[in-house]
Amino acid sequence: MPEAAMPSQESPLQITGLDPAGDPEQQTAVDKALTLLMSLAEQQREIGVSELARRTQLTKSTAFRLLGILHRNKVVERVGSNYRIGTHLFDIGSRAYAATALLQECLLPYLADLYELTHETVHLAVLHDTEIVYVDKIHGHRAARSPAKVGARMPAYCTGVGKALLAFDHDAAELAISQGLFRRTEYTLTDPALFRGELRRIRQSGIAYDRQEAAPGLACVAVPIMGSLGRPVAALSVAGADHRFDPSSFAPALRRVAYDAARALAAARARASIRAHAPEGAPQAFIRP
């Protein structure tokens, strides 16, 4: 089967399906506003109206009008004559991932434990459709260069945490394959048969590896954190520069931390469930399991 070619550049506009090269006449006002927002997010700096209009292929008057609406709703902020993403948008995004709040709060100590055991870059991630979302990250002074940032998304098929989660989610794995296993580096698995074989090995061993598959020079080892129904709820990973990093040496520490993290998360969810069903005004002793 021919290898899928990776797009030369992947921007937030492409990830979300908003095509800046599309015909502006076919876009609704909402499409255009979202394109402006994604362009701002892509740059991570203040941008003027003229540059935004050029980048999004909107007229300057349209961009100015839509930015005024977004500013009025506190989704973007003005800095002089330039614009940047507003903090209100962060609040909205945080609510979208409210379900991960308990997970992040409960598992952060175990991510810290993993860092203390390894002194390498460690990640906590969850699966969202066929992508992984990085929920938290801890690194030290010798952090390897990595595309993984808190809140960022990556294709699950080429990352350690992603493969650790896809291995136990057949539907998501097959969807990822159907969407195309694009080559990000020379080491990325792009053949569906080989990829399915990799997932089988991960299910058997409980350990996933990324050997420069997501980014050149970056190696990673990951494990799933299993939930009460035998399905993973998140994944932990340890990453480092390939030239000095032996991923397999960190597998035992990852297994121990993931086991402890799974038990802690199950207990936290049980407590949350009891509180949710406790009579109003019940004493703390009543709702404590």
Side-chain angles (χ1 to χ4, degrees):
M1 180 176 178
E3 292 180 351
M6 186 63 189
S8 58
Q9 288 185 341
E10 186 179 71
S11 73
L13 295 173
Q14 293 167 315
I15 292 171
T16 57
L18 298 172
D19 182 6
D23 183 1
E25 295 300 321
Q26 301 300 316
Q27 295 179 329
T28 66
V30 174
D31 289 329
K32 294 173 183 178
L34 289 174
T35 302
L36 285 169
L37 285 174
M38 296 310 300
S39 185
L40 280 169
E42 184 181 23
Q43 291 300 302
Q44 298 182 343
R45 62 180 175 86
E46 296 87 4
I47 309 178
V49 177
S50 296
E51 182 178 351
L52 277 169
R54 177 182 57 78
R55 288 176 53 79
T56 57
Q57 296 189 6
L58 299 175
T59 65
K60 187 174 179 180
S61 60
T62 297
F64 184 78
R65 177 175 57 82
L66 291 174
L67 286 167
I69 295 172
L70 294 171
H71 178 254
R72 188 165 66 245
N73 287 278
K74 302 180 180 178
V75 179
V76 301
E77 297 174 351
R78 287 195 64 170
V79 183
S81 60
N82 294 340
Y83 292 84
R84 67 185 179 194
I85 291 292
T87 55
H88 187 54
L89 194 60
F90 175 80
D91 294 337
I92 295 172
S94 298
R95 292 175 190 175
Y97 287 100
T100 66
L102 175 63
L103 183 145
Q104 184 177 21
E105 179 181 351
C106 179
L107 298 185
L108 179 57
Y110 297 92
L111 192 66
D113 288 345
L114 186 59
Y115 175 76
E116 286 300 317
L117 288 169
T118 63
H119 290 285
E120 298 286 355
T121 301
V122 295
H123 303 98
L124 172 66
V126 296
L127 185 66
H128 189 269
D129 295 329
T130 59
E131 297 177 317
I132 52 99
V133 179
Y134 290 97
V135 177
D136 223 329
K137 174 181 180 177
I138 301 175
H139 63 85
H141 294 289
R142 58 175 184 172
R145 187 174 182 180
S146 165
K149 295 177 175 60
V150 175
R153 293 171 176 240
M154 286 281 290
Y157 69 85
C158 62
T159 64
V161 285
K163 289 191 289 182
L165 295 168
L166 288 179
F168 297 91
D169 191 329
H170 177 267
D171 291 344
E174 289 302 312
L175 180 57
I177 292 170
S178 71
Q179 291 175 346
L181 305 176
F182 299 108
R183 180 174 293 281
R184 296 182 67 91
T185 75
E186 61 179 306
Y187 302 102
T188 308
L189 287 176
T190 59
D191 181 88
L194 292 177
F195 184 70
R196 290 188 180 101
E198 173 87 344
L199 296 186
R200 280 194 298 271
R201 286 189 289 274
I202 293 168
R203 282 193 296 274
Q204 293 168 357
S205 67
I207 296 286
Y209 293 97
D210 164 11
R211 297 182 174 90
Q212 303 189 71
E213 295 165 51
L218 184 69
C220 172
V221 56
V223 296
I225 299 173
M226 305 304 291
S228 58
L229 300 179
R231 292 173 63 90
V233 294
L236 291 168
S237 71
V238 183
D242 178 72
H243 68 274
R244 62 164 183 78
F245 184 79
D246 176 15
S248 60
S249 67
F250 297 103
L254 263 171
R255 288 181 190 274
R256 291 195 303 272
V257 174
Y259 176 77
D260 291 341
R263 293 184 61 185
L265 185 59
R269 286 181 165 174
R271 289 193 297 271
S273 177
I274 291 172
R275 290 193 193 97
H277 294 90
E280 187 175 350
Q284 290 297 309
F286 177 84
I287 65 174
R288 193 173 295 138

